[in-house]
């Protein structure tokens, strides 16, 4: 587990904020008829215009700037020229590297009008992320984060993806420790000041079981039902979780008012 100095956390925050702005730009562009490949193109341009590089492109030979996962696709979807349809949900995961540090976060968007069952899945998945962040407190343990996410999701009966997990973040896109979205209270590594995590619940409407698509990248739900994915980057500072990324640019674009991040902003804002 690599613990960071404040100067390093600031750099991770700069990268995370650039991802946030990129996702805000996506929020303006996502509508029926638009292709994920178009979104990928403008995201890449925007990141390069901001003196950074896409963090995913070329990582383990991933071909694009964004991971774009539509409907039953869970994560790691490859952008393509197929237009989005009214009623789709699209998870956009984006990474950047700037001054040697990564940012990596994700949001699941509704395309046009989405049915209530799927809308509820998005709301609950996002809230489960904050339930996990709430317990990222000094001397708690990794298992406490997974336990908090799992407990909240279980209230709603959704499937928690087991094979894919959150992670540490810094000079590397994926660092120790792994952060599962399930777990036992009081187990796993102890959380210390300077730890930076990407917490990212991946939650399915139906079964937790997933398959890897034949493209070798895209994970899909086994039952074909929808999946949601929300990810923030968080640092442990002065014993408390400090959120480094933000959904505010998305909310500005969509005209949403939200106070949800307020309780995690003590140090930088
Ligand atoms: Mg990600
Ligand atoms: Mg991640």
């Amino acid at each position: 587990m690599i613990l960071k100095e404040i100067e390093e956390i600031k750099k991770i925050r700069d990268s995370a904020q650039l991802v946030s702005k990129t996702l805000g730009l996506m929020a303006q562009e996502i509508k029926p008829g638009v292709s994920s490949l178009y979104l990928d193109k403008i995201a890449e341009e925007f990141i390069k215009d901001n003196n950074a590089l896409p963090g995913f492109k070329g990582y383990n030979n991933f071909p694009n700037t964004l991971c774009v996962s539509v409907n039953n696709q869970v994560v790691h979807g490859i952008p393509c020229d197929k237009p989005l349809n009214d009623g789709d949900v699209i998870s956009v995961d984006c990474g950047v590297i700037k001054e040697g540090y990564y940012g990596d976060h994700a949001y699941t968007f509704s395309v046009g009008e989405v049915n209530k069952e799927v809308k509820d899945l998005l709301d609950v998945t996002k809230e489960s992320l904050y339930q996990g962040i709430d317990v990222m407190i000094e001397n708690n343990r990794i298992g406490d984060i997974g336990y908090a996410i799992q407990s909240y999701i279980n209230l709603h009966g959704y499937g928690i993806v087991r094979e894919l997990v959150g992670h540490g973040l810094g000079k590397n896109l994926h660092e120790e420790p792994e952060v599962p979205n399930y777990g036992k209270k009081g187990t796993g590594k102890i959380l210390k000041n300077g730890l930076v995590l990407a917490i990212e619940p991946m939650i399915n409407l139906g079964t937790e079981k997933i398959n890897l698509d034949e493209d070798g990248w895209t994970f899909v739900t086994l039952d074909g039902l929808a999946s949601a994915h929300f990810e923030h980057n968080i640092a442990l500072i002065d014993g408390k979780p400090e959120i480094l990324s933000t959904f505010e640019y998305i909310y500005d674009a969509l005209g949403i008012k939200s106070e949800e991040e307020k309780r995690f902003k003590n140090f930088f804002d």
Side-chain angles (χ1 to χ4, degrees):
M1 183 181 304
I2 305 168
L3 302 178
K4 278 94 178 173
E5 301 296 332
I6 287 296
E7 286 312 307
E8 295 184 278
I9 294 175
K10 268 187 192 152
K11 288 185 177 171
I12 299 169
R13 184 173 183 270
D14 286 347
S15 293
Q17 291 278 317
L18 179 54
V19 176
S20 304
K21 287 174 188 165
T22 309
L23 293 178
L25 187 60
M26 298 299 101
Q28 293 172 34
E29 298 290 340
I30 289 171
K31 48 178 107 48
V34 162
S35 77
S36 51
L37 201 54
Y38 168 76
L39 298 173
D40 186 74
K41 213 163 273 164
I42 53 175
E44 179 169 352
E45 279 172 20
F46 181 74
I47 290 164
K48 288 180 174 168
D49 285 348
N50 281 276
N51 306 312
L53 288 172
F56 297 166
K57 199 169 185 173
Y59 186 84
N60 293 334
N61 295 320
F62 187 77
N64 291 82
T65 294
L66 303 177
C67 292
V68 180
S69 309
V70 178
N71 297 334
N72 65 319
Q73 297 177 339
V74 179
V75 287
H76 302 169
I78 299 173
C80 67
D81 56 11
K82 191 171 170 250
L84 295 169
N85 291 310
D86 190 43
D88 284 347
V89 286
I90 175 176
S91 147
V92 180
D93 194 349
C94 179
V96 308
I97 181 162
K98 192 175 180 178
E99 291 189 54
Y101 289 86
Y102 281 93
D104 167 24
H105 81 116
Y107 191 90
T108 303
F109 298 88
S110 299
V111 183
E113 281 302 310
V114 168
N115 75 45
K116 181 163 188 314
E117 203 183 25
V118 174
K119 174 88 177 58
D120 289 347
L121 171 71
L122 302 194
D123 291 344
V124 168
T125 302
K126 180 152 66 68
E127 179 53 33
S128 78
L129 168 58
Y130 293 113
Q131 296 289 319
I133 297 173
D134 262 327
V135 294
M136 188 178 159
I137 290 168
E138 194 182 19
N139 295 324
N140 271 3
R141 290 173 182 265
I142 287 293
D144 295 321
I145 297 173
Y147 176 80
I149 294 169
Q150 177 179 32
S151 303
Y152 188 75
I153 292 301
N154 283 349
L155 295 175
H156 301 270
Y158 298 137
I160 301 171
V161 173
R162 320 287 286 197
E163 292 89 337
L164 302 155
V165 295
H167 49 91
L169 183 73
K171 285 183 181 164
N172 304 292
L173 181 56
H174 297 114
E175 295 181 354
E176 290 286 307
E178 291 194 341
V179 187
N181 296 303
Y182 55 89
K184 286 201 177 87
K185 250 185 177 172
T187 64
K189 294 213 172 85
I190 298 174
L191 310 179
K192 292 289 175 196
N193 283 323
L195 180 64
V196 178
L197 296 179
I199 302 180
E200 47 179 318
M202 289 154 263
I203 307 297
N204 299 342
L205 188 58
T207 180
E208 67 185 39
K209 295 210 167 65
I210 59 172
N211 256 341
L212 184 60
D213 189 81
E214 57 193 20
D215 67 14
W217 277 105
T218 315
F219 286 96
V220 296
T221 58
L222 200 66
D223 57 12
L225 295 179
S227 185
H229 178 215
F230 289 85
E231 176 177 23
H232 266 316
N233 302 151
I234 313 101
L236 188 39
I237 301 175
D238 297 336
K240 293 184 298 242
E242 175 80 19
I243 201 163
L244 305 176
S245 49
T246 179
F247 294 146
E248 283 300 318
Y249 297 103
I250 295 170
Y251 295 158
D252 285 349
L254 300 179
I256 296 170
K257 286 233 175 295
S258 172
E259 303 265 287
E260 69 193 25
E261 295 174 4
K262 220 175 161 188
R263 67 187 190 271
F264 307 114
K265 290 179 177 172
N266 301 295
F267 190 80
F268 288 111
D269 291 272

